[in-house]
Amino acid sequence: MPRAAASAAGPTVAIDIGGTKIAGALVHPDGTMTAATRRPTPRGADADAVMAAVGEVVADLSEAPLWPQVVRCGIGSAGPVDTTRGTVSPVNIGAWRDFPVQARVGEELAARGARIPTVLAGDGVAMTAAEHWLGAARGHANALCMVVSTGVGGGLILNNRLHPGPTGNAGHIGHISVAFDGERCVCGGHGCVESLASGTAIARWALAQGWTGPDPTAAGVAASAAAGDPVARAAFDRAGRALAAAIAATATLVETDIAVIGGGVAAAGDTLFEPVRRHLASYATLGFVQDLEVVPAGLGTDAGLIGAAAAAMMLLPAA
């Protein structure tokens, strides 16, 4: 079928780029996926070798029967990202610094007959698009979605529209300062949410306070907290308070009515969500934010691919 005749309701090419894997799929308008494929992210390789793995994913997808009907492509990537230039500098992919991933993916698509529009989104923005489309933020016109993992990222839905901002970094809640005299963050600021509430920060603080659990990770701290260890519980209380302060500040600024939290640390369940909700009551005090919900993310391991596609559908005009 000629490209110009392709329906705007055709499948979206979704590519999810992270530090451990590069995944791809065709995502359909109802959210189902076909032709899913993945490659490990090359370690200790140069920029072109990493891009070659992305090219292999695109090549796999191009073998799918529905490839001639694809209408757009969404690329979700670990950040930092700069969507004005289509570049990424992922912290966990050292070979890519200001790498022009959007243009390079466009070349791979065109080489396989798919001259379609592409969009780049950071992983927090992609997760936000996914949760608004099919997850816990569905039906909410104004939402903050967060990924709490090794770092803390996020994105915004405002008036039912994805709001990535000029460079694709709006909603990056991890670098809101919630402790003016707090420790220096990797970003150069002080007292950032990420320096208090990331999985890395939770484990580091618990160890510094004398916690001696067998698994020196946030998951290990969560297990100890669930078993009643006071230091582990304090570590999650500290993280929950930081998240609550940032959620309340965001809701007060732009009137979001729900905060969705995903990522590895959210797997702690009530060990994380109980202190977040408890502290939120002390920060979200104005009438228009008092009913703010905090809920776990609704999508699982496919959230990155669903998010890449959802971002493309929300940000690109019909092909």
Side-chain angles (χ1 to χ4, degrees), residues 29-315:
D30 63 356
T32 58
M33 297 195 311
T34 57
T37 184
R38 67 172 57 193
R39 293 288 188 281
T41 304
R43 299 279 187 178
D46 64 15
D48 286 336
V50 178
M51 185 62 213
V54 179
E56 290 173 7
V57 166
V58 174
D60 286 352
L61 297 178
S62 71
E63 298 297 321
L66 291 177
W67 181 256
Q69 299 176 34
V70 297
V71 295
R72 64 182 74 81
C73 174
I75 308 159
S77 176
V81 304
D82 184 344
T83 59
T84 60
R85 298 188 298 144
T87 61
V88 297
S89 302
V91 172
N92 49 9
I93 305 178
W96 278 8
R97 289 296 173 265
D98 296 321
F99 186 78
V101 67
Q102 186 172 347
R104 293 290 296 271
V105 168
E107 292 169 4
E108 294 288 340
L109 293 167
R112 291 166 177 80
R115 297 184 180 277
I116 53 177
T118 66
V119 71
L120 171 65
D123 51 7
V125 171
M127 175 265 194
T128 299
E131 290 293 330
H132 185 255
W133 182 25
L134 296 173
R138 188 173 186 174
H140 291 265
N142 301 286
L144 165 68
C145 298
M146 307 171 63
V147 180
V148 184
S149 186
T150 306
V152 178
L156 291 166
I157 296 289
L158 300 178
N159 297 323
N160 276 315
R161 298 177 66 88
L162 189 63
H163 181 74
T167 67
N169 292 289
H172 201 341
I173 193 168
H175 296 290
I176 290 177
S177 177
V178 292
F180 293 142
D181 298 322
E183 65 182 86
R184 193 169 186 84
C185 179
V186 292
C187 75
H190 290 271
C192 293
V193 175
E194 184 170 301
S195 69
L196 296 161
S198 70
T200 306
I202 290 169
R204 183 176 65 244
W205 188 87
L207 289 164
Q209 301 304 308
W211 176 74
T212 58
D215 176 9
T217 67
V221 179
S224 289
D229 182 277
V231 174
R233 289 174 63 86
F236 270 88
D237 185 77
R238 178 175 181 263
R241 184 177 182 185
L243 291 169
I247 290 167
T250 303
T252 303
L253 186 67
V254 294
E255 289 200 60
T256 53
D257 56 21
I258 190 170
V260 177
I261 305 178
V265 175
D270 284 346
T271 298
L272 176 69
F273 284 91
E274 187 282 325
V276 171
R277 292 171 178 143
R278 173 165 41 81
H279 286 296
L280 189 63
S282 351
Y283 289 108
T285 56
L286 294 171
F288 64 92
V289 292
Q290 285 180 349
D291 294 328
L292 179 62
E293 296 180 70
V294 179
V295 300
L299 299 175
T301 56
D302 294 329
L305 287 169
I306 296 293
M313 288 187 281
M314 295 180 82
L315 297 174

